[in-house]
Amino acid sequence: MTISETMEYIQSYQKSGKPVQDLTRIQSLLDELGNPQEQLQVVHIAGTNGKGSVTALCAAAATAAGYRTGTLTSPFIRHYTDRIQIDGTDIPPESLCRFCEQVKACAVSGDCSQFEITLAIALLWFLEERCDLVILETGIGGLLDATNVVKMPLVTAITSISFDHMALLGNTLLEIAVQKAGIVKPGCPVVLSPDNTDEVKAYVAQTAEQKNAPFLTPNMQDCHILSESLCETVFQYHSFSYTLHMPGRHQVYNAMTAIEMIRLLGMHGYPISAATAQAAFAGVRVPARTEILRQEPLVLLDGGHNQAGVMALAELLRRCGIRPIHGICGMLTTKDYSTACSILKSVFDTVICVDDFLEKAVPADSLAKCFAPMPSVRTADSFQNAYAEALAQAKTDHGMVVICGSLYLASEALQKIEPSSEPETRL
């Protein structure tokens, strides 16, 4: 298969596939492929926000400690292959094509999802490349997520739980937590991010107890923020200092979760020293997670698309000390865009709404109405025009540009501002 044929085959499946009631579909596919997941040492991560950052932090530390580390994340940001990596390097196109051909040769149900096909390809590659560790990030939920086919992970983690994908996961935090906690396995330790509600903490702890799974959540009293800015955050945890170059207080919670996971991995025969983690964390930068694209004027890109993600961005912007803030916003109709806009309008001085990045985007005119009664709200017919206008304004008034509202918009922004070298792997 060529790369074009491979991407056409993957795209022939729906992103979510037909709804499932159990894991039979993905298990059947992996049975035909020899169950590669059973031959890998897996770390499993679920949650609403923070999964990608925790995955990146853990993977960087493991790689720095000398372990060959595979990661599966979603969605992709720059191009399809960036969601399947070993030691931070994307799966090569030739490997993607070869393993996709192997998957295609199986009796793959037409009800499968792109994510299930991707998971199968990733597991085959990780096995061939003899990964020491594999970190799998759930797609949606946990209990019925395809990654939950892994029966005996080394460590599981649940990051911040908030409102997202409610049509699939439930309308309350507790209902969503039930789905996320579905990854907890008998005897397997689980780490819960400290920025969860007491209700969520109680439920996950109860689930862990029922399954005889060691449960822990980082102790906030052991954490001290030493300094924070848009460029870096320095904090102390367990008497060690860590530097993060992903801004925002929420990234400290993610790092604490990763630190506890790393400590548990050491108990499973994968020791990673604090010094190794310290050095690795300082080099982690995840695309579209409060990412700085340029300095003068400052351009910040953030893919947060739910209430908790947008609130974290707003908190960061209030603390940054730079005004005025010129927003470029685009969101999907499947998200609670009205609530997101009500949060963002408290920190934006101007905003330009766009809708050209995806068919499911909220029409720019409708999105603009959600920012009322802000006086400086307008629409643009393309992201490029919006970016040119906001950038020129920030140069004039020494402000900053913030691009936000959707990971799909973030992907579009990176393609327009930093064109990908592999456009053929974009879906």
Side-chain angles (χ1 to χ4, degrees):
M1 296 175 73
T2 65
I3 190 65
S4 296
E5 290 170 338
T6 296
M7 297 314 299
E8 182 179 354
Y9 174 75
I10 294 171
Q11 195 174 14
S12 70
Y13 293 89
Q14 295 181 356
K15 278 185 164 57
S16 299
K18 186 177 179 180
V20 297
Q21 300 298 321
D22 54 38
L23 299 176
T24 303
R25 192 169 70 198
I26 181 62
Q27 184 63 66
S28 297
L29 174 58
L30 294 178
D31 283 344
E32 291 203 42
L33 294 170
N35 285 307
Q37 78 281 4
E38 294 181 2
Q39 303 168 67
L40 296 166
Q41 297 297 317
V42 173
V43 174
H44 199 189
I45 303 176
T48 308
N49 295 305
K51 297 190 299 292
S53 296
V54 173
T55 296
L57 291 164
C58 285
T63 295
Y67 303 113
R68 190 157 175 74
T69 306
T71 55
L72 173 68
T73 59
S74 65
F76 71 87
I77 299 298
R78 289 186 171 89
H79 43 82
Y80 175 81
T81 54
D82 68 33
R83 67 193 304 181
I84 308 172
Q85 296 186 339
I86 294 177
D87 294 339
T89 299
D90 297 356
I91 182 172
E94 58 271 20
S95 297
L96 178 70
C97 295
R98 181 161 50 88
F99 289 121
C100 185
E101 193 164 359
Q102 189 175 339
V103 171
K104 184 180 180 181
C106 298
V108 183
S109 167
D111 295 332
C112 278
S113 65
Q114 289 179 15
F115 185 75
E116 288 167 324
I117 302 298
T118 301
L119 172 62
I121 291 170
L123 292 171
L124 290 171
W125 186 50
F126 297 152
L127 183 60
E128 180 180 82
E129 290 295 319
R130 299 182 178 180
C131 286
D132 300 303
L133 285 170
V134 169
I135 304 176
L136 298 181
E137 176 189 322
T138 59
I140 296 177
L143 180 64
L144 297 177
D145 188 79
T147 57
N148 208 31
V149 74
V150 175
K151 295 181 175 66
M152 295 181 63
L154 296 174
V155 179
T156 59
I158 300 174
T159 62
S160 175
I161 293 177
S162 60
F163 294 101
D164 203 359
H165 302 293
M166 280 93 80
L168 295 173
L169 304 181
N171 294 315
T172 69
L173 281 184
L174 186 57
E175 288 176 336
I176 296 171
V178 170
Q179 295 297 316
K180 305 293 184 183
I183 71 167
V184 179
K185 303 295 193 303
C188 175
V190 55
V191 181
L192 178 68
S193 178
D195 57 339
N196 278 293
T197 66
D198 290 341
E199 180 185 40
V200 167
K201 290 177 182 176
Y203 178 78
V204 177
Q206 179 184 14
T207 301
E209 183 178 8
Q210 291 170 349
K211 296 188 177 183
N212 196 29
F215 169 82
L216 65 90
T217 186
N219 188 346
M220 291 302 300
Q221 293 182 343
D222 290 341
C223 178
H224 304 283
I225 307 294
L226 303 180
S227 67
E228 56 184 326
S229 68
L230 277 177
C231 295
E232 70 173 30
T233 302
V234 181
F235 71 99
Q236 186 179 67
Y237 185 58
H238 288 333
S239 301
F240 293 98
S241 295
Y242 298 86
T243 300
L244 303 175
H245 288 106
M246 295 186 291
R249 189 68 60 91
H250 58 291
Q251 294 295 358
V252 175
Y253 303 138
N254 291 333
M256 293 167 68
T257 303
I259 291 166
E260 295 296 351
M261 294 172 67
I262 289 167
R263 185 172 65 82
L264 289 168
L265 282 173
M267 298 178 183
H268 282 82
Y270 295 88
I272 301 171
S273 70
T276 298
Q278 286 172 308
F281 282 14
V284 173
R285 293 168 175 81
V286 183
R289 273 68 166 188
T290 48
E291 179 183 7
I292 295 175
L293 299 185
R294 60 176 290 168
Q295 290 285 353
E296 294 182 6
L298 190 70
V299 176
L300 189 70
L301 176 67
D302 189 83
H305 50 269
N306 52 46
Q307 181 176 340
V310 173
M311 286 178 68
L313 173 62
E315 181 183 2
L316 174 69
L317 295 176
R318 289 189 189 97
R319 287 193 175 126
C320 76
I322 301 176
R323 308 297 295 201
I325 299 174
H326 304 293
I328 300 175
C329 187
M331 295 198 71
L332 303 188
T333 55
T334 54
K335 304 299 178 183
D336 184 5
Y337 58 89
S338 178
T339 298
C341 291
S342 68
I343 296 169
L344 291 171
K345 69 184 179 184
S346 68
V347 291
F348 284 164
D349 294 288
T350 71
V351 63
I352 305 175
C353 297
V354 295
D355 60 14
D356 67 318
F357 59 95
L358 202 70
E359 287 185 5
K360 292 189 296 183
V362 179
D365 289 341
S366 299
L367 197 63
K369 291 177 183 177
C370 294
F371 282 97
M374 279 183 65
S376 301
V377 182
R378 51 201 185 282
T379 62
D381 57 4
S382 71
F383 167 77
Q384 282 180 299
N385 288 340
Y387 180 67
E389 184 179 341
L391 191 66
Q393 196 164 5
K395 287 179 179 178
T396 300
D397 58 24
H398 307 291
M400 67 183 292
V401 177
V402 177
I403 305 164
C404 65
S406 169
L407 280 169
Y408 292 98
L409 175 60
S411 179
E412 177 80 3
L414 287 171
Q415 294 300 313
K416 294 294 189 291
I417 299 172
E418 301 176 347
S420 170
S421 60
E422 299 184 59
E424 67 276 15
T425 59
R426 285 182 54 76
L427 289 176

